[in-house]
Amino acid sequence: MSSTTIARTPFSVLDRSRARQGRPPAEALRDTLTLAREAEALGYHRFWVSEHHGVPGVAGSAPTVLAAAVASATRTIRVGTGGVMLPNHQSLVVAEQFGVLESLFPGRIDMGLGRSVGFTDGVRRALGRDKEDAEDFATRLGELLGWFEGTSPTGVRARPAEGLRVPPFVLAMGEGARIAARAGLPMVIGDLRGRERLLRGIDQYRALFHPSPWASEPYVVISGTVAVAGTEEEARRLLVPEAWSMAYSRTHGTFPPLAPAEEIEARPMTAKERGFYEAALAGHIAGTGEQVAHALETVLKETGADEVLVTTSTYDRPALLDSYRRLAGLLAPGR
């Protein structure tokens, strides 16, 4: 397969506004805006933000509000959510929010939608939700799309959403692939580390896909971490802060702000922590430009994906920006 496969594939960015140790959450949100402007200048296709509640290490709790700030700070890049967690909200309110966004930034807004609820019992209670609410995702999704199509049985009209076309995407985890296929919507699926599970989800989605007014054929976005640096070791160090946060969350029950790589590498770990940490480091696409290009060509060939959504986070912001610049160089050689 030619490297032109990478060049003709749209690459996009999802930023989770990761807080950094010793720094205020507000800085993480400003960092997101900085990254969005950089992603636009580098030619990335979309820039999405996420929804997390009550998480010490994530400042992005209000994705539609943050998406409005991102769209205001940029001019041409598509902006959206990866995603709004539909079980946490009333579908009318979500439709209204995206209707406002599309009205203010016409032709630039994406509506990425997920089915997760809060990660802890406390967060779910605060949201007035429980785990079972995720089971109603297909119904909630239909309700949401109905507000745009003007088909709500309530007789209420969603203003200014009704009649607007805001592209919906389903974030697929397990059942999500089947829901996306039956609804005839584009699907975002990750992560790149679990290749067999990823391929099963994509195959199932394509096999079950029914065309809809929103999409005439399947559209697959694969998502995951991609880190590019001058050396393989430098690229690996970009992964260290997120890997430790993941290991800490698995052993302490809370997801902390990102810490510097050198501090983590010098930290004593229990055997259990070390196991989770090493597992969190493994399987990502990371390395030199040549190594990453080869890995991307492989995954694009295996999946036949239509787009790649890059989700990399790290403590060292200049190194993160450099990684995105190097990746953009692979997508458009000579840039």
Side-chain angles (χ1 to χ4, degrees):
M1 180 175 59
S2 169
S3 60
T4 56
T5 302
I6 296 175
R8 67 171 178 256
T9 301
F11 276 68
S12 300
V13 177
L14 168 65
D15 190 61
R16 288 178 291 139
S17 302
R18 292 287 276 115
R20 291 187 288 166
Q21 183 177 288
R23 297 174 182 266
E27 184 176 282
L29 297 172
R30 291 191 292 268
D31 287 341
T32 292
L33 298 185
T34 299
L35 181 58
R37 287 188 287 263
E38 184 75 14
E40 180 176 74
L42 291 170
Y44 286 95
H45 184 49
R46 313 178 199 273
F47 190 93
W48 284 6
V49 296
S50 63
E51 175 182 337
H52 295 275
H53 299 284
V55 180
V58 182
S61 56
T64 53
V65 176
L66 186 52
V70 170
S72 294
T74 55
R75 295 185 303 106
T76 57
I77 194 169
R78 297 196 64 86
V79 177
T81 56
V84 165
M85 296 301 146
L86 209 47
N88 294 336
H89 310 282
Q90 293 296 328
S91 61
L92 171 60
V93 175
V94 175
E96 291 170 337
Q97 290 173 345
F98 279 100
V100 169
L101 284 170
E102 177 63 21
S103 297
L104 293 173
F105 309 100
R108 292 181 58 203
I109 301 300
D110 298 322
M111 187 168 57
L113 305 163
R115 63 194 292 266
S116 297
V117 291
F119 291 138
T120 67
D121 289 337
V123 170
R124 288 191 288 271
R125 285 195 300 271
L127 291 169
R129 299 291 186 267
D130 56 41
K131 290 182 178 180
E132 285 68 38
D133 284 304
E135 303 308 314
D136 295 329
F137 178 69
T139 299
R140 291 173 182 267
L141 180 62
E143 290 174 354
L144 174 62
L145 299 181
W147 289 117
F148 288 93
E149 296 166 331
T151 58
S152 172
T154 65
V156 176
R157 314 294 285 272
R159 313 284 188 193
E162 187 175 315
L164 297 180
R165 303 294 291 180
V166 183
F169 295 75
V170 172
L171 276 61
M173 297 294 289
E175 176 65 14
R178 293 182 285 276
I179 293 171
R182 288 193 287 262
L185 299 180
M187 176 185 71
V188 182
I189 187 168
D191 64 43
L192 300 178
R193 296 182 299 165
R195 201 62 56 85
E196 289 186 10
R197 183 181 178 188
L198 181 77
L199 293 173
R200 283 199 303 272
I202 292 171
D203 288 345
Q204 187 174 63
Y205 167 71
R206 289 188 175 126
L208 297 175
F209 185 86
H210 290 285
S212 76
W214 299 94
S216 60
E217 57 188 23
Y219 190 89
V220 174
V221 183
I222 55 173
S223 68
T225 294
V226 181
V228 195
T231 67
E232 189 173 358
E233 180 58 27
E234 288 172 338
R236 182 187 179 279
R237 283 173 64 81
L238 283 170
L239 308 178
V240 165
E242 188 76 30
W244 169 248
S245 288
M246 185 64 67
Y248 189 92
S249 72
R250 298 290 298 275
T251 52
H252 294 78
T254 185
F255 200 70
L258 297 172
E262 58 271 17
E263 177 183 313
I264 294 165
E265 290 173 332
R267 179 175 295 171
M269 299 183 193
T270 66
K272 188 174 184 180
E273 288 174 338
R274 176 67 64 181
F276 284 129
Y277 172 68
E278 294 293 346
L281 278 175
H284 300 289
I285 294 180
T288 64
E290 183 177 355
Q291 290 170 322
V292 167
H294 177 73
L296 286 172
E297 287 180 0
T298 298
V299 72
L300 287 170
K301 180 179 180 180
E302 289 177 350
T303 63
D306 300 286
E307 186 174 335
V308 179
L309 181 66
V310 183
T311 63
T312 312
S313 297
T314 195
Y315 180 90
D316 187 336
R317 296 299 297 189
L320 179 64
L321 290 174
D322 181 66
S323 176
Y324 275 113
R325 290 187 193 108
R326 290 174 182 268
L327 177 57
L330 301 180
L331 311 180
R335 173 182 280 274

